[in-house]
Amino acid sequence: MSLDAVLARIDRDLDQSLERLFALLRIPSISTDPAYADNCRAAADWLAAELSGLGFSASVRPTEGHPMVVAHYPERDGTDNRVLFYGHYDVQPVDPLELWQSDPFEPRIATRDDGSKMIVARGAADDKGQLMTFVEAARAWIAETGGLPVAVTILFEGEEESGSKSLGPFLEANADELKAGAALVCDTGMWDKDTPAISTSLRGLVTEEVTVTAADKDLHSGLFGGAARNPNHVLAKILADLHDAGGRVTVPGFYEGVAELSDEVRRQWEGLDFSAEEFLGQVGLKLPAGESDRSVLEQIWARPTVEVNGMIGGYTGAGFKTVIPSKASAKVSFRLVGDQDPKTLVEAFHDFVRARIPEDCSVEFESHGASPALRIPADSPVLAKGKTALQDEWGVEPLMIGMGGSIPIVGAFRERLGMDTLLVGFGLDDDRIHSPNEKYEMSSFHKGIRSWARILGELAN
Ligand code: BES
Ligand code: ZN
């Protein structure tokens, strides 16, 4: 049977697959920092060249931001039954660099005492290792059988980690070219290293930067201290006011559109073998900090949050400076669930802040993107095929799980292209994505490739 031959080839060629992944990992495609724009372009070029080499018609498409890669196999004729695969080639910044045990852009394989291996580099899990599982699966099918079992379009984005600003306009402008029966996304995780999962919900994300200005210049706190308003204090108070003592968000209207879990989902989640102590313990914590009347799994998968991701204000360099700064700012993000409306929420947040700004101070907002939460319908046909393929590969039934993270494009696929998405990924909670020493399990990479090979086979049925 051809699937068996494809899987055997994947096993045989694993070292070459790794070499290709390493080449991609060496490109520092940090999307949020303009200094790395050329590297983002280089990663897009590299991917397009790889896909062309496989026989895809691939091109790098410029956007206002970093380019997209679009590739078809075979060339579109408008009639075929096709799937769209999405991944992102951009990565998060690497700071703090001193906490890395090796160069983030010089990938290496580390072997544990038990013989298990992991790939260590920025982007190993998020998302270069993951997107390459699909590319390598496609490679094996083409090499072994002369083609893919189902027609495929690939879309690689370079701005996922920085808000996907170009995505909406790009999808709109290229809707006919990108539209497919379903979308496949490899940017999520497994339940544990032996148990695959399909994510059926993603939280939405709103990112807002707020800047409070008090005096028209920085002041000496010996001269003005006591009389002049300190914007650090104003902002800190506002940020502290965002939660009540029970961990609930206090912005008026915040919980509108947030549904309670259905009995079925609640039962299913309660049946999962999840330990809050272990989950927090792996990062050196033990006290759940969210809404005190919710389980930890509910907190991370099904409840909306507000987080302060960064605070800037006053003197933060070495030594000390007795300054009353003129400005203070914070980067604040909201994770959304259910039907919470990003626009309404942004307004409510602005009102909340404005109401707390003293008369002689001012506030400005800068939006870095807003996307709603998403649920994948349980009866979607691709979901059933994904389940079968994953069960065959891993020998255990895949779990249907929620995902606390956000992937802005998945909502856009539904809204702009009317497509359902299959969210299958092989990341683990301890992969340290966005953190120093990011890693991807070798088993995730290897069995991830095999899983996609099987899913492609299933999709042809
Ligand atoms: N791969 C992640 C999303 C994710 C996180 C999936 C955790 C599963 C578990 C994705 O690349 C990501 O980090 N997204 C950002 C979105 C953003 C910067 C616009 C996020 O969720 O913060
Ligand atoms: Zn990602």
Side-chain angles (χ1 to χ4, degrees), residues 88 90 92 125-127 130 159-164 186-189 199 202-203 205 207 335 368 371 403-408 429 433-434:
H88 62 92
D90 62 321
Q92 286 277 333
D126 188 8
D127 183 38
Q130 301 243 65
E159 296 179 354
E160 197 273 351
E161 300 289 10
S162 53
S164 295
C186 191
D187 196 21
T188 52
S199 299
L202 283 171
R203 287 196 284 192
L205 187 66
T207 43
R335 297 275 173 189
H368 291 268
S371 59
M403 247 316 140
S406 310
I407 309 172
D429 284 347
I433 62 171
H434 298 201

PDB file of all heavy atoms in Angstrom, residues 88 90 92 125-127 130 159-164 186-189 199 202-203 205 207 335 368 371 403-408 429 433-434, ligand 1:
ATOM      1  N   HIS A  88       3.358  29.481  10.269  1.00  0.00           N
ATOM      2  CA  HIS A  88       4.049  30.775  10.244  1.00  0.00           C
ATOM      3  C   HIS A  88       5.548  30.585  10.414  1.00  0.00           C
ATOM      4  O   HIS A  88       5.993  29.791  11.242  1.00  0.00           O
ATOM      5  CB  HIS A  88       3.479  31.757  11.268  1.00  0.00           C
ATOM      6  CG  HIS A  88       3.596  31.350  12.711  1.00  0.00           C
ATOM      7  ND1 HIS A  88       4.658  31.702  13.495  1.00  0.00           N
ATOM      8  CD2 HIS A  88       2.772  30.630  13.507  1.00  0.00           C
ATOM      9  CE1 HIS A  88       4.484  31.232  14.716  1.00  0.00           C
ATOM     10  NE2 HIS A  88       3.352  30.568  14.754  1.00  0.00           N
ATOM     11  N   ASP A  90       7.632  33.142  11.055  1.00  0.00           N
ATOM     12  CA  ASP A  90       8.250  34.134  11.947  1.00  0.00           C
ATOM     13  C   ASP A  90       8.332  33.580  13.359  1.00  0.00           C
ATOM     14  O   ASP A  90       7.604  32.657  13.730  1.00  0.00           O
ATOM     15  CB  ASP A  90       7.469  35.454  11.944  1.00  0.00           C
ATOM     16  CG  ASP A  90       6.038  35.312  12.442  1.00  0.00           C
ATOM     17  OD1 ASP A  90       5.385  34.296  12.117  1.00  0.00           O
ATOM     18  OD2 ASP A  90       5.559  36.209  13.163  1.00  0.00           O
ATOM     19  N   GLN A  92       9.426  34.544  17.723  1.00  0.00           N
ATOM     20  CA  GLN A  92       9.467  35.563  18.772  1.00  0.00           C
ATOM     21  C   GLN A  92      10.910  36.028  19.008  1.00  0.00           C
ATOM     22  O   GLN A  92      11.855  35.294  18.728  1.00  0.00           O
ATOM     23  CB  GLN A  92       8.938  34.955  20.080  1.00  0.00           C
ATOM     24  CG  GLN A  92       7.440  34.751  20.096  1.00  0.00           C
ATOM     25  CD  GLN A  92       6.684  36.013  20.459  1.00  0.00           C
ATOM     26  OE1 GLN A  92       7.190  36.887  21.147  1.00  0.00           O
ATOM     27  NE2 GLN A  92       5.455  36.108  19.970  1.00  0.00           N
ATOM     28  N   ALA A 125       9.618  24.761  18.058  1.00  0.00           N
ATOM     29  CA  ALA A 125       8.232  24.310  18.204  1.00  0.00           C
ATOM     30  C   ALA A 125       7.236  25.313  17.618  1.00  0.00           C
ATOM     31  O   ALA A 125       6.172  24.931  17.155  1.00  0.00           O
ATOM     32  CB  ALA A 125       7.918  24.088  19.689  1.00  0.00           C
ATOM     33  N   ASP A 126       7.585  26.578  17.675  1.00  0.00           N
ATOM     34  CA  ASP A 126       6.625  27.641  17.309  1.00  0.00           C
ATOM     35  C   ASP A 126       7.241  28.535  16.257  1.00  0.00           C
ATOM     36  O   ASP A 126       7.888  29.503  16.572  1.00  0.00           O
ATOM     37  CB  ASP A 126       6.239  28.422  18.567  1.00  0.00           C
ATOM     38  CG  ASP A 126       5.115  29.412  18.329  1.00  0.00           C
ATOM     39  OD1 ASP A 126       4.515  29.401  17.251  1.00  0.00           O
ATOM     40  OD2 ASP A 126       4.841  30.207  19.243  1.00  0.00           O
ATOM     41  N   ASP A 127       7.101  28.270  14.973  1.00  0.00           N
ATOM     42  CA  ASP A 127       6.257  27.224  14.437  1.00  0.00           C
ATOM     43  C   ASP A 127       7.019  26.470  13.338  1.00  0.00           C
ATOM     44  O   ASP A 127       6.449  25.724  12.572  1.00  0.00           O
ATOM     45  CB  ASP A 127       4.980  27.899  13.890  1.00  0.00           C
ATOM     46  CG  ASP A 127       3.947  26.926  13.340  1.00  0.00           C
ATOM     47  OD1 ASP A 127       3.775  25.853  13.918  1.00  0.00           O
ATOM     48  OD2 ASP A 127       3.342  27.244  12.312  1.00  0.00           O
ATOM     49  N   GLN A 130       6.971  22.680  13.506  1.00  0.00           N
ATOM     50  CA  GLN A 130       5.611  22.204  13.224  1.00  0.00           C
ATOM     51  C   GLN A 130       5.273  22.327  11.739  1.00  0.00           C
ATOM     52  O   GLN A 130       4.743  21.400  11.135  1.00  0.00           O
ATOM     53  CB  GLN A 130       4.603  23.018  14.043  1.00  0.00           C
ATOM     54  CG  GLN A 130       4.839  22.931  15.545  1.00  0.00           C
ATOM     55  CD  GLN A 130       3.672  22.285  16.279  1.00  0.00           C
ATOM     56  OE1 GLN A 130       3.382  21.107  16.081  1.00  0.00           O
ATOM     57  NE2 GLN A 130       3.023  23.042  17.131  1.00  0.00           N
ATOM     58  N   GLU A 159       3.969  37.141   9.980  1.00  0.00           N
ATOM     59  CA  GLU A 159       3.612  38.174  10.977  1.00  0.00           C
ATOM     60  C   GLU A 159       2.724  37.623  12.079  1.00  0.00           C
ATOM     61  O   GLU A 159       2.088  38.402  12.795  1.00  0.00           O
ATOM     62  CB  GLU A 159       2.865  39.332  10.285  1.00  0.00           C
ATOM     63  CG  GLU A 159       3.685  40.073   9.277  1.00  0.00           C
ATOM     64  CD  GLU A 159       2.878  41.200   8.595  1.00  0.00           C
ATOM     65  OE1 GLU A 159       1.680  41.327   8.814  1.00  0.00           O
ATOM     66  OE2 GLU A 159       3.489  41.941   7.842  1.00  0.00           O
ATOM     67  N   GLU A 160       2.690  36.301  12.224  1.00  0.00           N
ATOM     68  CA  GLU A 160       1.765  35.733  13.213  1.00  0.00           C
ATOM     69  C   GLU A 160       2.119  36.192  14.612  1.00  0.00           C
ATOM     70  O   GLU A 160       1.242  36.486  15.422  1.00  0.00           O
ATOM     71  CB  GLU A 160       1.790  34.201  13.140  1.00  0.00           C
ATOM     72  CG  GLU A 160       0.592  33.543  13.809  1.00  0.00           C
ATOM     73  CD  GLU A 160       0.753  33.287  15.288  1.00  0.00           C
ATOM     74  OE1 GLU A 160       1.875  33.451  15.829  1.00  0.00           O
ATOM     75  OE2 GLU A 160      -0.230  32.934  15.940  1.00  0.00           O
ATOM     76  N   GLU A 161       3.412  36.250  14.889  1.00  0.00           N
ATOM     77  CA  GLU A 161       3.856  36.607  16.239  1.00  0.00           C
ATOM     78  C   GLU A 161       3.785  38.110  16.490  1.00  0.00           C
ATOM     79  O   GLU A 161       4.132  38.582  17.572  1.00  0.00           O
ATOM     80  CB  GLU A 161       5.291  36.114  16.479  1.00  0.00           C
ATOM     81  CG  GLU A 161       5.482  34.606  16.345  1.00  0.00           C
ATOM     82  CD  GLU A 161       4.856  33.813  17.481  1.00  0.00           C
ATOM     83  OE1 GLU A 161       4.104  34.392  18.300  1.00  0.00           O
ATOM     84  OE2 GLU A 161       5.110  32.596  17.528  1.00  0.00           O
ATOM     85  N   SER A 162       3.401  38.862  15.501  1.00  0.00           N
ATOM     86  CA  SER A 162       3.321  40.307  15.718  1.00  0.00           C
ATOM     87  C   SER A 162       1.972  40.863  15.287  1.00  0.00           C
ATOM     88  O   SER A 162       1.870  41.998  14.854  1.00  0.00           O
ATOM     89  CB  SER A 162       4.484  41.017  15.018  1.00  0.00           C
ATOM     90  OG  SER A 162       4.545  40.647  13.664  1.00  0.00           O
ATOM     91  N   GLY A 163       0.944  40.024  15.377  1.00  0.00           N
ATOM     92  CA  GLY A 163      -0.410  40.543  15.207  1.00  0.00           C
ATOM     93  C   GLY A 163      -1.053  40.319  13.844  1.00  0.00           C
ATOM     94  O   GLY A 163      -2.200  40.685  13.639  1.00  0.00           O
ATOM     95  N   SER A 164      -0.329  39.715  12.903  1.00  0.00           N
ATOM     96  CA  SER A 164      -0.928  39.360  11.599  1.00  0.00           C
ATOM     97  C   SER A 164      -1.624  40.530  10.921  1.00  0.00           C
ATOM     98  O   SER A 164      -2.732  40.403  10.413  1.00  0.00           O
ATOM     99  CB  SER A 164      -1.939  38.210  11.773  1.00  0.00           C
ATOM    100  OG  SER A 164      -1.294  37.056  12.183  1.00  0.00           O
ATOM    101  N   CYS A 186      -0.950  23.669  11.724  1.00  0.00           N
ATOM    102  CA  CYS A 186      -0.083  22.959  12.669  1.00  0.00           C
ATOM    103  C   CYS A 186       0.638  23.992  13.533  1.00  0.00           C
ATOM    104  O   CYS A 186       1.760  24.407  13.232  1.00  0.00           O
ATOM    105  CB  CYS A 186       0.927  22.085  11.922  1.00  0.00           C
ATOM    106  SG  CYS A 186       1.810  20.962  13.028  1.00  0.00           S
ATOM    107  N   ASP A 187      -0.019  24.438  14.585  1.00  0.00           N
ATOM    108  CA  ASP A 187       0.565  25.463  15.456  1.00  0.00           C
ATOM    109  C   ASP A 187       0.048  25.315  16.886  1.00  0.00           C
ATOM    110  O   ASP A 187       0.030  26.282  17.639  1.00  0.00           O
ATOM    111  CB  ASP A 187       0.233  26.859  14.890  1.00  0.00           C
ATOM    112  CG  ASP A 187       1.102  27.961  15.481  1.00  0.00           C
ATOM    113  OD1 ASP A 187       2.190  27.653  16.001  1.00  0.00           O
ATOM    114  OD2 ASP A 187       0.682  29.132  15.427  1.00  0.00           O
ATOM    115  N   THR A 188      -0.409  24.104  17.213  1.00  0.00           N
ATOM    116  CA  THR A 188      -0.974  23.873  18.548  1.00  0.00           C
ATOM    117  C   THR A 188      -0.279  22.662  19.179  1.00  0.00           C
ATOM    118  O   THR A 188       0.734  22.193  18.655  1.00  0.00           O
ATOM    119  CB  THR A 188      -2.492  23.631  18.455  1.00  0.00           C
ATOM    120  OG1 THR A 188      -2.719  22.593  17.486  1.00  0.00           O
ATOM    121  CG2 THR A 188      -3.226  24.888  18.018  1.00  0.00           C
ATOM    122  N   GLY A 189      -0.835  22.167  20.276  1.00  0.00           N
ATOM    123  CA  GLY A 189      -0.113  21.144  21.020  1.00  0.00           C
ATOM    124  C   GLY A 189      -0.831  19.813  21.148  1.00  0.00           C
ATOM    125  O   GLY A 189      -1.979  19.649  20.753  1.00  0.00           O
ATOM    126  N   SER A 199      -7.318  20.516  18.680  1.00  0.00           N
ATOM    127  CA  SER A 199      -7.852  21.662  19.431  1.00  0.00           C
ATOM    128  C   SER A 199      -9.171  22.076  18.807  1.00  0.00           C
ATOM    129  O   SER A 199      -9.265  22.248  17.594  1.00  0.00           O
ATOM    130  CB  SER A 199      -6.871  22.824  19.402  1.00  0.00           C
ATOM    131  OG  SER A 199      -5.661  22.422  20.007  1.00  0.00           O
ATOM    132  N   LEU A 202     -10.022  28.086  20.334  1.00  0.00           N
ATOM    133  CA  LEU A 202      -8.848  28.959  20.502  1.00  0.00           C
ATOM    134  C   LEU A 202      -9.347  30.232  21.152  1.00  0.00           C
ATOM    135  O   LEU A 202     -10.450  30.693  20.843  1.00  0.00           O
ATOM    136  CB  LEU A 202      -8.265  29.344  19.149  1.00  0.00           C
ATOM    137  CG  LEU A 202      -7.422  28.360  18.374  1.00  0.00           C
ATOM    138  CD1 LEU A 202      -7.160  28.916  16.977  1.00  0.00           C
ATOM    139  CD2 LEU A 202      -6.092  28.099  19.071  1.00  0.00           C
ATOM    140  N   ARG A 203      -8.562  30.817  22.023  1.00  0.00           N
ATOM    141  CA  ARG A 203      -8.983  32.108  22.556  1.00  0.00           C
ATOM    142  C   ARG A 203      -8.642  33.216  21.558  1.00  0.00           C
ATOM    143  O   ARG A 203      -7.688  33.113  20.800  1.00  0.00           O
ATOM    144  CB  ARG A 203      -8.295  32.377  23.906  1.00  0.00           C
ATOM    145  CG  ARG A 203      -8.882  31.511  25.012  1.00  0.00           C
ATOM    146  CD  ARG A 203      -8.529  31.993  26.394  1.00  0.00           C
ATOM    147  NE  ARG A 203      -7.167  31.673  26.780  1.00  0.00           N
ATOM    148  CZ  ARG A 203      -6.703  31.788  28.029  1.00  0.00           C
ATOM    149  NH1 ARG A 203      -7.497  32.220  28.995  1.00  0.00           N
ATOM    150  NH2 ARG A 203      -5.456  31.478  28.316  1.00  0.00           N
ATOM    151  N   LEU A 205      -7.745  37.379  20.818  1.00  0.00           N
ATOM    152  CA  LEU A 205      -6.717  38.222  21.418  1.00  0.00           C
ATOM    153  C   LEU A 205      -6.897  39.681  21.020  1.00  0.00           C
ATOM    154  O   LEU A 205      -7.096  39.994  19.853  1.00  0.00           O
ATOM    155  CB  LEU A 205      -5.342  37.738  20.956  1.00  0.00           C
ATOM    156  CG  LEU A 205      -4.127  38.377  21.607  1.00  0.00           C
ATOM    157  CD1 LEU A 205      -4.067  38.020  23.089  1.00  0.00           C
ATOM    158  CD2 LEU A 205      -2.843  37.909  20.930  1.00  0.00           C
ATOM    159  N   THR A 207      -4.811  43.332  21.671  1.00  0.00           N
ATOM    160  CA  THR A 207      -3.573  43.869  22.235  1.00  0.00           C
ATOM    161  C   THR A 207      -3.567  45.388  22.136  1.00  0.00           C
ATOM    162  O   THR A 207      -3.689  45.943  21.054  1.00  0.00           O
ATOM    163  CB  THR A 207      -2.342  43.284  21.506  1.00  0.00           C
ATOM    164  OG1 THR A 207      -2.599  43.285  20.103  1.00  0.00           O
ATOM    165  CG2 THR A 207      -2.069  41.868  21.945  1.00  0.00           C
ATOM    166  N   ARG A 335      -7.333  37.986  26.442  1.00  0.00           N
ATOM    167  CA  ARG A 335      -7.683  36.732  25.761  1.00  0.00           C
ATOM    168  C   ARG A 335      -9.195  36.619  25.790  1.00  0.00           C
ATOM    169  O   ARG A 335      -9.803  36.777  26.849  1.00  0.00           O
ATOM    170  CB  ARG A 335      -7.081  35.525  26.476  1.00  0.00           C
ATOM    171  CG  ARG A 335      -5.570  35.497  26.516  1.00  0.00           C
ATOM    172  CD  ARG A 335      -4.959  34.894  25.270  1.00  0.00           C
ATOM    173  NE  ARG A 335      -3.506  35.056  25.306  1.00  0.00           N
ATOM    174  CZ  ARG A 335      -2.709  34.795  24.287  1.00  0.00           C
ATOM    175  NH1 ARG A 335      -3.198  34.346  23.144  1.00  0.00           N
ATOM    176  NH2 ARG A 335      -1.426  34.980  24.391  1.00  0.00           N
ATOM    177  N   HIS A 368      -2.673  46.995  18.672  1.00  0.00           N
ATOM    178  CA  HIS A 368      -1.772  46.091  17.945  1.00  0.00           C
ATOM    179  C   HIS A 368      -2.509  44.880  17.387  1.00  0.00           C
ATOM    180  O   HIS A 368      -1.900  43.860  17.103  1.00  0.00           O
ATOM    181  CB  HIS A 368      -0.634  45.631  18.862  1.00  0.00           C
ATOM    182  CG  HIS A 368       0.328  46.722  19.203  1.00  0.00           C
ATOM    183  ND1 HIS A 368       1.465  46.976  18.478  1.00  0.00           N
ATOM    184  CD2 HIS A 368       0.307  47.648  20.177  1.00  0.00           C
ATOM    185  CE1 HIS A 368       2.113  48.006  18.996  1.00  0.00           C
ATOM    186  NE2 HIS A 368       1.431  48.430  20.037  1.00  0.00           N
ATOM    187  N   SER A 371      -8.549  39.965  17.525  1.00  0.00           N
ATOM    188  CA  SER A 371      -9.219  38.854  16.840  1.00  0.00           C
ATOM    189  C   SER A 371     -10.126  38.116  17.821  1.00  0.00           C
ATOM    190  O   SER A 371      -9.782  37.956  18.991  1.00  0.00           O
ATOM    191  CB  SER A 371      -8.194  37.898  16.230  1.00  0.00           C
ATOM    192  OG  SER A 371      -7.356  37.384  17.242  1.00  0.00           O
ATOM    193  N   MET A 403      -7.636  25.402  23.605  1.00  0.00           N
ATOM    194  CA  MET A 403      -6.307  25.980  23.495  1.00  0.00           C
ATOM    195  C   MET A 403      -6.372  27.402  24.034  1.00  0.00           C
ATOM    196  O   MET A 403      -7.219  28.194  23.607  1.00  0.00           O
ATOM    197  CB  MET A 403      -5.934  26.052  22.014  1.00  0.00           C
ATOM    198  CG  MET A 403      -4.803  25.163  21.583  1.00  0.00           C
ATOM    199  SD  MET A 403      -3.402  25.123  22.656  1.00  0.00           S
ATOM    200  CE  MET A 403      -3.026  23.389  22.575  1.00  0.00           C
ATOM    201  N   GLY A 404      -5.486  27.705  24.949  1.00  0.00           N
ATOM    202  CA  GLY A 404      -5.503  29.046  25.527  1.00  0.00           C
ATOM    203  C   GLY A 404      -4.894  30.101  24.631  1.00  0.00           C
ATOM    204  O   GLY A 404      -5.167  31.285  24.773  1.00  0.00           O
ATOM    205  N   GLY A 405      -4.055  29.672  23.688  1.00  0.00           N
ATOM    206  CA  GLY A 405      -3.364  30.616  22.810  1.00  0.00           C
ATOM    207  C   GLY A 405      -4.275  31.108  21.695  1.00  0.00           C
ATOM    208  O   GLY A 405      -5.461  30.765  21.636  1.00  0.00           O
ATOM    209  N   SER A 406      -3.705  31.924  20.831  1.00  0.00           N
ATOM    210  CA  SER A 406      -4.486  32.533  19.752  1.00  0.00           C
ATOM    211  C   SER A 406      -3.739  32.377  18.432  1.00  0.00           C
ATOM    212  O   SER A 406      -2.518  32.503  18.386  1.00  0.00           O
ATOM    213  CB  SER A 406      -4.688  34.020  20.030  1.00  0.00           C
ATOM    214  OG  SER A 406      -5.162  34.211  21.344  1.00  0.00           O
ATOM    215  N   ILE A 407      -4.470  32.094  17.379  1.00  0.00           N
ATOM    216  CA  ILE A 407      -3.887  32.058  16.040  1.00  0.00           C
ATOM    217  C   ILE A 407      -4.843  32.861  15.166  1.00  0.00           C
ATOM    218  O   ILE A 407      -5.873  32.349  14.726  1.00  0.00           O
ATOM    219  CB  ILE A 407      -3.732  30.606  15.527  1.00  0.00           C
ATOM    220  CG1 ILE A 407      -3.002  29.744  16.563  1.00  0.00           C
ATOM    221  CG2 ILE A 407      -2.985  30.582  14.200  1.00  0.00           C
ATOM    222  CD1 ILE A 407      -2.962  28.264  16.225  1.00  0.00           C
ATOM    223  N   PRO A 408      -4.513  34.160  14.988  1.00  0.00           N
ATOM    224  CA  PRO A 408      -5.488  35.073  14.389  1.00  0.00           C
ATOM    225  C   PRO A 408      -6.094  34.574  13.078  1.00  0.00           C
ATOM    226  O   PRO A 408      -7.260  34.821  12.790  1.00  0.00           O
ATOM    227  CB  PRO A 408      -4.679  36.355  14.169  1.00  0.00           C
ATOM    228  CG  PRO A 408      -3.569  36.283  15.172  1.00  0.00           C
ATOM    229  CD  PRO A 408      -3.265  34.827  15.360  1.00  0.00           C
ATOM    230  N   ASP A 429       3.383  21.309  26.457  1.00  0.00           N
ATOM    231  CA  ASP A 429       3.342  22.464  27.369  1.00  0.00           C
ATOM    232  C   ASP A 429       4.735  22.872  27.843  1.00  0.00           C
ATOM    233  O   ASP A 429       4.956  24.014  28.217  1.00  0.00           O
ATOM    234  CB  ASP A 429       2.492  22.143  28.612  1.00  0.00           C
ATOM    235  CG  ASP A 429       1.009  22.194  28.281  1.00  0.00           C
ATOM    236  OD1 ASP A 429       0.666  22.708  27.202  1.00  0.00           O
ATOM    237  OD2 ASP A 429       0.205  21.717  29.104  1.00  0.00           O
ATOM    238  N   ILE A 433       7.873  27.641  24.400  1.00  0.00           N
ATOM    239  CA  ILE A 433       7.666  28.558  23.274  1.00  0.00           C
ATOM    240  C   ILE A 433       7.654  29.976  23.820  1.00  0.00           C
ATOM    241  O   ILE A 433       7.176  30.231  24.918  1.00  0.00           O
ATOM    242  CB  ILE A 433       6.385  28.241  22.457  1.00  0.00           C
ATOM    243  CG1 ILE A 433       5.112  28.368  23.280  1.00  0.00           C
ATOM    244  CG2 ILE A 433       6.456  26.866  21.825  1.00  0.00           C
ATOM    245  CD1 ILE A 433       3.834  28.266  22.433  1.00  0.00           C
ATOM    246  N   HIS A 434       8.236  30.875  23.075  1.00  0.00           N
ATOM    247  CA  HIS A 434       8.396  32.298  23.432  1.00  0.00           C
ATOM    248  C   HIS A 434       9.406  32.504  24.566  1.00  0.00           C
ATOM    249  O   HIS A 434       9.621  33.633  24.994  1.00  0.00           O
ATOM    250  CB  HIS A 434       7.062  32.965  23.827  1.00  0.00           C
ATOM    251  CG  HIS A 434       6.043  32.977  22.719  1.00  0.00           C
ATOM    252  ND1 HIS A 434       4.992  33.855  22.699  1.00  0.00           N
ATOM    253  CD2 HIS A 434       5.930  32.236  21.581  1.00  0.00           C
ATOM    254  CE1 HIS A 434       4.242  33.637  21.605  1.00  0.00           C
ATOM    255  NE2 HIS A 434       4.810  32.660  20.920  1.00  0.00           N
TER     256      HIS A 434
HETATM  257  N1  BES B   1       1.649  28.927  18.439  1.00  0.00           N
HETATM  258  C1  BES B   1       1.125  30.016  19.183  1.00  0.00           C
HETATM  259  C2  BES B   1      -0.299  29.810  19.653  1.00  0.00           C
HETATM  260  C3  BES B   1      -0.385  28.789  20.731  1.00  0.00           C
HETATM  261  C4  BES B   1       0.079  29.116  21.986  1.00  0.00           C
HETATM  262  C5  BES B   1      -0.898  27.555  20.486  1.00  0.00           C
HETATM  263  C6  BES B   1       0.024  28.174  22.984  1.00  0.00           C
HETATM  264  C7  BES B   1      -0.929  26.637  21.472  1.00  0.00           C
HETATM  265  C8  BES B   1      -0.468  26.937  22.736  1.00  0.00           C
HETATM  266  C9  BES B   1       1.152  31.259  18.340  1.00  0.00           C
HETATM  267  O1  BES B   1       2.296  31.370  17.541  1.00  0.00           O
HETATM  268  C10 BES B   1       1.191  32.444  19.257  1.00  0.00           C
HETATM  269  O2  BES B   1       2.026  32.535  20.112  1.00  0.00           O
HETATM  270  N2  BES B   1       0.260  33.338  19.084  1.00  0.00           N
HETATM  271  C11 BES B   1       0.251  34.552  19.799  1.00  0.00           C
HETATM  272  C12 BES B   1      -0.554  35.494  18.991  1.00  0.00           C
HETATM  273  C13 BES B   1      -0.051  36.843  18.870  1.00  0.00           C
HETATM  274  C14 BES B   1       1.292  37.241  19.210  1.00  0.00           C
HETATM  275  C15 BES B   1      -0.834  37.722  17.977  1.00  0.00           C
HETATM  276  C16 BES B   1      -0.358  34.370  21.169  1.00  0.00           C
HETATM  277  O3  BES B   1      -1.205  33.473  21.380  1.00  0.00           O
HETATM  278  O4  BES B   1       0.014  35.119  22.056  1.00  0.00           O
END
